Amino acid sequence: RKEVEQDPGPFNVPEGATVAFNCTYSNSASQSFFWYRQDCRKEPKLLMSVYSSGNEDGRFTAQLNRASQYISLLIRDSKLSDSATYLCVVNPSGTYKYIFGTGTRLKVLA
Amino acid sequence: EAQVTQNPRYLITVTGKKLTVTCSQNMNHEYMSWYRQDPGLGLRQIYYSMNVEVTDKGDVPEGYKVSRKEKRNFPLILESPSPNQTSLYFCASSQGPGRNTGELFFGEGSRLTVL
């Protein structure tokens, strides 16, 4: 089993739709969680960190479920510019490693 | 401007010809790391460094070397490149893992082709 798993997609959604991605992780001692966005052939950029209590940044909401070992990303009112690959990243406790999922590709259609 | 700079951005080379990909950051970050990205495999960590003269292997270190003689620089060395090292490479830096300091800042990537 991979340490971090994501559905590769693509998720094709119309503008204005709400879409959610999940990411599961296998190391229960994982401490820090992040969502990154990567545009085609570009470097990944931080979208948001994921806090235990859940957190929101505009149209984006991230949740952490430690019991089931997954994190989620919800995008409301999708825009064409949201089309990208979304990477889930986990930092296991006590390590200096960042473990990336393979990414979920989102296409927002006009 | 805060940034991570990698060079070269694109390189085509031949098997066995030693090459170095440079990485420099201007944010005084202690943590730096190298990743390779391949289709279907995502980003995989090659090496990382917690501070000057402190480095450790990531998940795919075979065929690579690194050094951290100065805080700002973290070059990736391929002593004898092979075709299976054809990939897109990213250098990244952060203050250090942890929710509040763990944001990774990435360079623009170096696309390497080994013939």
Side-chain angles (χ1 to χ4, degrees):
Chain A
R1 181 186 173 187
K2 290 182 181 177
E3 291 186 84
V4 178
E5 291 199 75
Q6 296 182 250
D7 182 339
F11 284 62
N12 296 323
V13 302
E15 268 187 296
T18 295
V19 61
F21 311 133
N22 279 346
C23 165
T24 60
Y25 60 94
S26 60
N27 187 337
S28 60
S30 295
Q31 175 179 328
S32 304
F33 308 87
F34 309 89
W35 283 103
Y36 278 74
R37 170 193 169 125
Q38 185 176 26
D39 294 294
C40 187
R41 298 179 184 273
K42 300 276 193 177
E43 72 274 24
K45 293 184 179 177
L46 181 69
L47 180 66
M48 56 199 307
S49 301
V50 185
Y51 304 132
S52 295
S53 55
N55 48 301
E56 188 174 310
D57 183 2
R59 298 181 292 109
F60 299 85
T61 300
Q63 297 277 357
L64 167 63
N65 185 318
R66 285 194 184 274
S68 300
Q69 294 182 206
Y70 73 86
I71 65 172
S72 63
L73 177 68
L74 180 78
I75 305 175
R76 289 181 298 277
D77 188 23
S78 299
K79 312 291 185 190
L80 293 175
S81 57
D82 293 334
S83 298
T85 297
Y86 292 85
L87 305 172
C88 167
V89 185
V90 173
N91 165 230
S93 178
T95 77
Y96 285 87
K97 292 188 175 184
Y98 292 81
I99 303 171
F100 284 75
T102 53
T104 297
R105 193 167 164 208
L106 171 66
K107 290 184 182 180
V108 181
L109 307 171
Chain B
E1 180 190 353
Q3 59 185 12
V4 178
T5 305
Q6 295 178 227
N7 280 296
R9 295 285 317 283
Y10 302 91
L11 179 64
I12 299 175
T13 189
V14 295
T15 299
K17 186 176 182 181
K18 180 180 178 180
L19 69 92
T20 299
V21 187
T22 63
C23 174
S24 180
Q25 50 94 5
N26 64 359
M27 294 168 279
N28 201 36
H29 284 166
E30 292 187 348
Y31 182 89
M32 297 185 74
S33 61
W34 276 102
Y35 300 85
R36 61 177 289 173
Q37 187 171 33
D38 303 288
L41 298 176
L43 278 100
R44 294 179 292 167
Q45 194 168 38
I46 303 171
Y47 270 94
Y48 60 95
S49 169
M50 293 77 82
N51 214 324
V52 175
E53 301 291 3
V54 184
T55 63
D56 205 352
K57 296 177 180 178
D59 296 317
V60 288
E62 295 79 20
Y64 305 95
K65 287 174 60 177
V66 292
S67 67
R68 188 91 181 273
K69 294 186 170 64
E70 306 162 286
K71 200 171 188 178
R72 63 183 294 126
N73 296 322
F74 191 45
L76 180 70
I77 302 157
L78 286 73
E79 292 272 3
S80 183
S82 61
N84 65 12
Q85 292 179 296
T86 293
S87 188
L88 176 60
Y89 291 86
F90 288 104
C91 179
S93 72
S94 78
Q95 294 182 50
R99 192 188 68 202
N100 295 322
T101 61
E103 179 183 357
L104 279 169
F105 293 83
F106 284 85
E108 292 183 295
S110 297
R111 187 166 291 278
L112 171 65
T113 301
V114 183
L115 303 175

